[in-house]
Amino acid sequence: MTESAVSHQQAGSTERNSWAPMVGLFLAQVLMSFNVAALPVSLGGMVEAFGVPPTVVSSTIVVYGLAVAALVMVGAKLGQRIGWVLIFRVVIGLFAVSAVLMITAPSVGFAIAGQAVAGASAAIIVPSLVALIAENYHGAQQATAIGSLGSARALSGVSAFLIGGALGTWVGWRPVFGIVLAIAVAVFIFSFRLRSDGGDRSVKIDIVGAILIGLAIVLLTLGFNNLNAWGVFFAKDAAPFTIIGVSPAPLFVLVGIVLGQAFVFWTLRRMRTGQVPLVDLSVLSSPQERAAVYAMFIVVAMEAALNFSVPLYIQIVQGRSPLDTSLAMMPFNLTVFVTAMLVVRFYQRYSPRTIALFSFALTTIALLWLAFVVTNNWETLPTILGLIVFGVGQGSLVTLVFNVLVTSAPKNRAGDVGSIRGTTQNLASAVGTAVIGALLVTLLGLLVARAVLGHPELPPELLAQVDLTNINFVSNDQLRQTLEQTSASASQVDAAVAINEEVRLRTLRFGLLIMAGISAVAAVPASRLPNYRPEALDDPSQWDDA
C-alpha cells in the first residue's frame, strides 16, 4: 500500500460516516443473491409455463453464472474508467430490466436473455460493491460493511427459498421476480447517497486479457459443471461430443487452466512494460494476500458443496419439498448471517491468522460431527448443532478473508480486489458443486455395487432387468416404481429400498468426511494470513509476518 493510501485510511478510520449509503450496497448484494436463489425455486413453474424440459430452463442459471464469471474483470475496468457511482446506477437499472423480462417472458428464450442481462449487470455490481465501500467507509466501519455483504448472501438465500417457495406454491413463479424488481428500484434510490471519485478516461481495457480470462472462466465453469453429465473421464451419452472416447468436461478444464496461465503471463508482461492490465495482480503480490484468495476459494467451495449435498439428500433421497429443504438449512444460513456481522468485533483483539485457524478448526469439527451423527431424520438436535457450528466457522471466514484483501489494497485498487473476489467466488462455487457431485455419484456407484452383490435376495435375473448401480440419487418411492415394472417380488423390492436408504446415507457421510479433510487442509493457507497487531489494522505495512 502507498504512503498516501495508508495515511488516508488512518485518517478516515476516525470518521463515522452515515450508514445510509451502505443500505443501498447491502440491498445490491441481496439483489444478486436473491435472484440467484430464486432461479432453482422457479424452475418447476417455468417448466410448466413454457412447456420445455428442465434442462432447457436450467440454462437460465448457467447463463447468469457464466456472464458474471466471464465479465467481472472487464466490469472492474469499466467502473474505473466511467466512475463507480455512475456505472453502478446504470447496471442496477439494467438489473431491473432483467427482472421485467423475467416477469413478462412469453417464452424460455426471454427468460434466458433476462438472466444474461442480469449476469452482465452483476459482473459490474460485484467490483462496484468493493470499490464503493472503500470510497465511503474506512477502518472499523469498513470491516463492518464488508461483513454485511457476507451476511446479505445468507439472508437473501433463506428469504428466496421461503418467499419463492411460498409464492411458487400458491401464486406463481413470476411474482418472485417482482420482488427482484422492487429491490432494484430501492437500490437505485439509495445510490444517490453514495459518493465516489469520478472516472478516469485514461484507463484502457486490455482486450486480449479479457478474451483470455473470459474463455478460461467459461471453459472451467462448463467443464466442472458437466463432470457428472458428460463424464469425469470417459464420455457419457449426454456428452455433446467426444475425443477418442474422452469426455469434453476434463478437456474443457485442462484448456481453461492453460488459458488462465496464459492470462497471468500476459498480464505480468503488460505490467512490466508499463501498460494497464485488465486486473492489477500487484494486489496479490504478498504471500498473505495470495493466502487470502486460496482461503476464500476453499471457503466458498465448501459452502457450495454443503448447499448441494444436503438439499440433494433431503429432496431426492427423502423426497421432501424445497420448502422443507430451506427450513432444514435455516440453522446454517441464519448462523452465517449473524456471524458474518459479529465477527468484526474480534478484529481488534485477534489477528486474521488466529481467527482463520480457529474458524477452519470449527468447520472441520462440525463436518466430522455431521458425518457421524447424520441420520435419515434430518431435524435431529445433533444435526442442527453441527450445522450451527459449521455456520459459525463459515460466516467468520467469508467476512475475514474478504476483509484481508480489501484492507491490504489501496483505495484505487478496490475494483481489482472486487473482480478477483467475483472470479474466485464464481469459480469456487462451480468447482465445489461439481466436485462433490461427481464424488458422491462415484462413491454411490461403488457402494451400491458392493451392497447388491452381497445381498442374497437380489438374484442376477433381477439385476439383468434393472441395473441398480446406475440408479442415481433417487427417493424410495421412485425406486419402488422402477422395481414394480420388473419381476421383483415384494421382499426383493423391500431389500432394494433398504439398500437405497443405507448406501445413500453412507455416501453422504463419506462426502462429509472428505469435506472435513479439505477443511483441515485449509489450515495451510490460513497459517499464511496476516498476523498483525490490533493497532496495525489500518496500516498493512506494519503487519507481522512471523
Side-chain angles (χ1 to χ4, degrees):
M1 177 178 283
T2 64
E3 183 179 348
S4 59
V6 172
S7 61
H8 177 75
Q9 276 199 351
Q10 289 174 329
S13 64
T14 61
E15 299 177 4
R16 294 291 298 179
N17 296 325
S18 169
W19 285 113
M22 189 59 217
V23 174
L25 299 179
F26 179 88
L27 289 176
Q29 180 66 63
V30 170
L31 173 68
M32 295 185 293
S33 301
F34 190 95
N35 177 77
V36 170
L39 287 172
V41 178
S42 306
L43 283 182
M46 286 192 279
V47 166
E48 184 177 351
F50 299 138
V52 294
T55 51
V56 176
V57 176
S58 65
S59 298
T60 56
I61 302 175
V62 175
V63 164
Y64 177 90
L66 285 178
V68 177
L71 299 176
V72 67
M73 289 188 179
V74 176
K77 275 291 174 283
L78 285 173
Q80 293 171 5
R81 179 178 173 83
I82 298 173
W84 289 112
V85 170
L86 176 59
I87 199 167
F88 181 73
R89 289 181 189 144
V90 170
V91 294
I92 290 298
L94 287 175
F95 214 109
V97 170
S98 76
V100 173
L101 282 173
M102 295 298 294
I103 295 168
T104 61
S107 67
V108 71
F110 279 82
I112 293 173
Q115 286 307 307
V117 173
S121 303
I124 299 179
I125 296 174
V126 167
S128 295
L129 294 179
V130 185
L132 289 170
I133 285 177
E135 293 275 4
N136 288 267
Y137 300 101
H138 308 284
Q141 275 194 301
Q142 185 182 91
T144 302
I146 291 168
S148 71
L149 295 184
S151 63
R153 292 177 65 242
L155 177 64
S156 44
V158 173
S159 59
F161 268 108
L162 291 176
I163 298 172
L167 288 176
T169 302
W170 297 312
V171 182
W173 66 271
R174 295 181 192 270
V176 178
F177 293 93
I179 297 174
V180 174
L181 177 60
I183 297 172
V185 171
V187 174
F188 186 81
I189 293 171
F190 274 104
S191 71
F192 289 91
R193 299 296 301 272
L194 293 165
R195 69 168 187 263
S196 174
D197 295 336
D200 183 359
R201 294 292 177 178
S202 66
V203 172
K204 305 295 182 182
I205 297 177
D206 176 14
I207 302 299
V208 174
I211 293 173
L212 285 174
I213 193 62
L215 287 175
I217 294 298
V218 167
L219 289 175
L220 285 169
T221 304
L222 286 176
F224 279 114
N225 277 336
N226 288 285
L227 283 173
N228 272 329
W230 297 348
V232 176
F233 184 77
F234 294 109
K236 296 182 179 179
D237 293 338
F241 64 89
T242 67
I243 299 179
I244 322 177
V246 177
S247 166
L251 296 178
F252 279 10
V253 172
L254 180 61
V255 176
I257 293 173
V258 172
L259 289 175
Q261 286 292 105
F263 168 75
V264 172
F265 291 143
W266 173 261
T267 301
L268 292 175
R269 177 178 175 274
R270 286 182 66 88
M271 293 175 66
R272 283 195 302 268
T273 57
Q275 296 174 293
V276 178
L278 185 65
V279 62
D280 192 335
L281 295 180
S282 65
V283 298
L284 300 178
S285 58
S286 75
Q288 292 89 349
E289 292 155 351
R290 291 193 294 274
V293 172
Y294 300 148
M296 180 184 293
F297 188 94
I298 295 173
V299 168
V300 176
M302 283 198 307
E303 183 178 6
L306 189 76
N307 281 331
F308 171 82
S309 55
V310 172
L312 170 76
Y313 185 79
I314 295 176
Q315 291 187 51
I316 304 302
V317 178
Q318 295 183 331
R320 302 175 70 174
S321 69
L323 190 59
D324 290 329
T325 304
S326 64
L327 292 174
M329 291 297 290
M330 190 172 292
F332 168 70
N333 285 316
L334 287 179
T335 306
V336 171
F337 167 67
V338 173
T339 307
M341 291 295 294
L342 296 181
V343 70
V344 296
R345 298 177 180 270
F346 294 92
Y347 287 0
Q348 294 295 332
R349 298 177 59 188
Y350 304 101
S351 71
R353 184 183 303 175
T354 301
I355 297 174
L357 289 172
F358 178 75
S359 299
F360 274 121
L362 282 182
T363 56
T364 303
I365 292 170
L367 290 168
L368 285 172
W369 173 264
L370 286 170
F372 287 101
V373 304
V374 66
T375 65
N376 285 319
N377 181 12
W378 194 261
E379 289 83 4
T380 62
L381 181 59
T383 303
I384 292 173
L385 288 175
L387 287 175
I388 289 174
V389 174
F390 186 79
V392 171
Q394 190 77 11
S396 302
L397 291 164
V398 165
T399 302
L400 175 73
V401 294
F402 187 21
N403 188 67
V404 169
L405 284 174
V406 175
T407 304
S408 65
K411 186 184 69 172
N412 62 348
R413 294 288 180 266
D416 294 299
V417 172
S419 65
I420 290 172
R421 173 212 178 202
T423 303
T424 302
Q425 287 188 332
N426 279 278
L427 187 57
S429 181
V431 172
T433 302
V435 170
I436 196 67
L439 185 64
L440 291 178
V441 169
T442 302
L443 284 172
L444 179 68
L446 294 174
L447 293 174
V448 168
R450 181 179 178 182
V452 165
L453 291 175
H455 207 292
E457 292 193 37
L458 298 177
E461 307 85 63
L462 176 60
L463 298 179
Q465 299 177 58
V466 52
D467 185 1
L468 291 179
T469 61
N470 281 335
I471 296 179
N472 210 322
F473 282 90
V474 296
S475 67
N476 290 339
D477 292 338
Q478 290 174 306
L479 183 58
R480 287 184 184 277
Q481 291 175 5
T482 301
L483 292 173
E484 284 172 0
Q485 300 173 11
T486 69
S487 60
S489 64
S491 62
Q492 290 170 339
V493 171
D494 291 339
V497 169
I499 290 176
N500 182 55
E501 291 182 344
E502 177 187 353
V503 172
R504 281 148 180 77
L505 181 58
R506 194 185 308 168
T507 301
L508 177 63
R509 286 176 169 171
F510 275 129
L512 291 169
L513 283 173
I514 292 170
M515 289 169 60
I518 295 172
S519 178
V521 171
V524 176
S527 66
R528 295 297 301 159
L529 288 174
N531 196 33
Y532 51 63
R533 299 178 303 278
E535 63 270 18
L537 179 63
D538 295 315
D539 185 2
S541 65
Q542 300 179 31
W543 289 357
D544 178 13
D545 294 335

